[in-house]
Amino acid sequence: MAPMDTNIESRTIAVLVDNEPGVLARVIGLFSGRGYNIESLTVTEVDVAHGLSRITVVTSGTAQILEQIKAQLGRLVPVHRVRDLTKEGTSVERELALIKVAGAGEKRVEALRIADIFRARVVDSSHDHFVFEMTGKSDKLDVFVDLMQPLGLIDVSRTGVVAISRGAKAL
Amino acid sequence: MATEQFTGAEIVIKALKDQGVDTVFGYPGGAVLPIYDAIFKQNDIKHVLVRQEGGAVHAAEGYARSTGKVGVVLVTSGPGATNAVTGLTDALLDSIPLICLTGQVPTHLIGNDAFQEADTTGITRPCTKHNYLVRDIESLSRTMHEAFYVAQNGRPGPVVIDLPKDVQQGKIDTYLAPEDVKHRSYRPQVNGEVDHINEAVELIANAKRPVFYVGGGVINSGSSASTVLTELVRLTGAPCTTTLMGLGAYPGTDKQFLGMLGMHGTYEANLAMYNCDVMINVGARFDDRITGVIDEFSPDSKKIHIDIDASSINKNVMVDIPIVGDAGRVVEEILRIWKEKKHSLDAKSLKAWWSRIDEWRAKDCLGYVQDGPIIKPQHAIKRLYELTKDRKPYITTEVGQHQMWAAQYFHFDEPKKWMTSGGLGTMGYGLPAAVGAQLAHREDLVIDISGEASFMMNMQELGTIAQYRLPVKIFVVNNQWMGMVRQWQQLLHGNRHSESYSDALPDFVKLAESFGLKGMRCEKAEDLDQMLQEMIDSPEPVIFDCQVAKEENCYPMIPSGAAHYEMLLGPEDTAAKPISEEGMVLV
């Protein structure tokens, strides 16, 4: 018998599902019921004509667990396709964040300066706050949020990861 | 001319009829009254009134498992649906195709905490293969047929259809027939990967110590799967063992059959699994009752795993050749290639392998001594088998020691004769399951091998047996203990029998008589055969209270936390191999 691989890896998995009531609960219930991790999960309808939604889930586990997660997702009745974007070729991953920073004086200037470096856009502001919009890879968002922490960060809203494979082929 | 109008309830009945359903197990209530009214107005579908909804689901399981058809359940909303949950979970774990129709409050009241409202699709989502809430009558006929397709295709399982009362009462002039409905995406793979099948054939052909490890997937695949599997096993000359769910998939009295494997399987079956060089898993799932501690499970073998459910492969045990497909179809293909290439196993190696197996067999791991007047439970079941085997009875069981003894001492030469709660281990399964099996096979002998504690869990179904004059034989192996609990308390918890004594039992003979059934009690070994014969010959339903040795344990046994070659063969072994702390944590 092959020895079990105990390395924990992170994977981004795309799941195409029927956009029907309960389908998200089915996917989430599978993860909680079987004790798998969800690091990020996004879902929205992507094909209105055919009633299809796309779920992007970032999960982690040993190679065996990750294969198991994909197989378990694949056997849900409303699931059309399951693709491992991390393992099957390369992919583009993006996340969007809205970040609210409140304050005045030096800190406010510094926040705006860093936002500029990170190419964050100001989408709302007053004399004592900014709301920044930022899109990028999740770790870039993490760094920006960390930098805002001492500068008056009061609220963060993030979408979670969306991802798509590189190249000319569809899911 | 006005077009024909159907109510939702009529569509439900029409769809059932078009799906070939002849029997529905159910219990009425407010939210399903329109469907019950539609049942009243027709004669094609027989409704069997159970005494509690849990009984309906197990009865449908017994019906499904003994016929190979889909079992159908009809219950009301709220408590009707929640009572069905155990049976649905049971059917999910044992891959039994069921349709469970549940009433629901009208759509405008959903979410209002209405009377007898429960979030049925929410509650049953993790315990069904799939479920539906039908929100409008337009989608009703499609949903009905789709549900039947999902329940029986791929790995079978239970499907719930939640039917709000206004949908049942609504009217529509269109009905989709089964052939008009195609599921948009669900297409399970049934033919295994050709490359993998070829590799598997080569691996088997070069094996020196092969073993076939056969599970319930072969039975679910249909009778022809058992036929081709049996032919393949006989052609190779290799030994074959089955899981609890697989009993009957290979002839139980055949000389190549090693008996059941696993926690209470035979010594020879488990040792053959440990020592084999090629393991051919056909429709089994390496569950924890089979493997013992995973790290020491059959470490030197190459493993082939045939399963229709890709998620069963590499879940517990990593295998060398995975084949996703229907057990019958894949085995048929293996058999075809085997014959075409005129393969045969190396005779010398096979002979040496069988002589090792014969040494393990010589341990006579199922041996027991019946002396004196007290009936040994093993003896009771063995005699029941001997006296009934010519009639090829349908056997159901409850859960516990009696279940394991039945699996060990009863032998099944055909599939679909054996119905037991394997995955979930549901006490109370056997009596209603026997109701379902007997309804499907009115002229055949149906026996529920029961324990006195399990029997009490669903004994309300005696009412169903009495109402429909079902000649079910309820064979109660009565040791006045929850025997398996007591056994584990003895082995793991210093013999402290916490709450495992069956106190305040009814007088089973009087209980039977109070329902108009025949009651019998046997207390002496010398009376056993004659009384068993009387039970078998009786055209009546019978409760047979078989008073057996109280503190007999079920052996052989792989204790929890041990490897599958470390079997306890009897009480004398127990002291020598104390069970580890880690083992005690396991169930």
Side-chain angles (χ1 to χ4, degrees), chain A residues 1-4 18-23 25-26 34 50-52 64 68 71-72 74-80, chain B residues 125 129-131 135 150 155 183-186 294-295 297 299 301 303 309-311 313-318:
Chain A
M1 201 165 79
M4 300 271 183
D18 285 326
N19 181 21
E20 63 178 32
V23 67
R26 234 174 265 287
R34 293 184 183 268
H50 297 99
L52 294 174
Q64 189 197 6
Q68 190 49 214
Q72 292 289 351
R75 75 179 190 140
L76 294 178
V77 172
V79 167
H80 289 239
Chain B
R125 199 169 286 126
K129 181 174 174 185
H130 195 55
N131 63 17
R135 289 168 188 275
V150 169
R155 181 174 178 174
H183 196 281
R184 53 187 300 210
S185 60
Y186 187 64
I294 287 281
D295 295 346
F297 176 72
S301 62
K303 298 175 184 73
D309 178 1
S311 75
I313 295 177
N314 292 336
K315 181 170 68 179
N316 302 331
V317 171
M318 300 302 280

Side-chain angles (χ1 to χ4, degrees), chain B residues 102-114:
Chain B
T102 56
Q104 182 55 277
V105 301
T107 46
H108 68 273
L109 285 179
I110 289 177
N112 271 329
D113 299 327

Side-chain angles (χ1 to χ4, degrees), chain A residues 1-140:
Chain A
M1 201 165 79
M4 300 271 183
D5 188 355
T6 52
N7 249 350
I8 303 285
E9 314 167 38
S10 179
R11 295 271 178 91
T12 304
I13 296 169
V15 192
L16 203 62
V17 300
D18 285 326
N19 181 21
E20 63 178 32
V23 67
L24 184 60
R26 234 174 265 287
V27 170
I28 292 172
L30 190 158
F31 277 80
S32 64
R34 293 184 183 268
Y36 305 141
N37 298 317
I38 298 180
E39 291 173 4
S40 160
L41 186 140
T42 64
V43 56
T44 200
E45 191 169 51
V46 290
D47 182 344
V48 180
H50 297 99
L52 294 174
S53 289
R54 180 164 169 144
I55 297 173
T56 308
V57 55
V58 181
T59 182
S60 61
T62 62
Q64 189 197 6
I65 295 282
L66 291 163
E67 290 309 309
Q68 190 49 214
I69 289 171
K70 287 184 274 176
Q72 292 289 351
L73 285 168
R75 75 179 190 140
L76 294 178
V77 172
V79 167
H80 289 239
R81 270 196 286 287
V82 180
R83 289 285 180 274
D84 185 333
L85 295 176
T86 311
K87 204 181 163 196
E88 300 167 24
T90 53
S91 59
V92 183
E93 290 188 7
R94 287 294 179 268
E95 187 177 358
L96 184 143
L98 296 171
I99 297 139
K100 189 178 283 185
V101 178
E106 266 310 295
K107 284 186 175 176
R108 183 173 156 79
V109 177
E110 179 65 3
L112 196 60
R113 205 177 63 81
I114 293 173
D116 193 40
I117 295 168
F118 277 75
R119 296 201 180 87
R121 289 203 309 140
V122 176
V123 290
D124 182 46
S125 73
S126 68
H127 290 302
D128 51 9
H129 91 284
F130 287 118
V131 174
F132 298 114
E133 174 198 315
M134 191 171 151
T135 306
K137 295 194 75 170
S138 298
D139 50 0
K140 180 179 162 190

Side-chain angles (χ1 to χ4, degrees), chain B residues 431 450-459 462 474 508 511 543:
Chain B
L431 182 59
S450 180
E452 84 289 341
S454 283
F455 170 82
M456 301 284 287
M457 280 216 182
N458 266 328
M459 63 183 244
L462 291 174
I474 303 153
F508 287 101
L511 177 68
I543 299 179

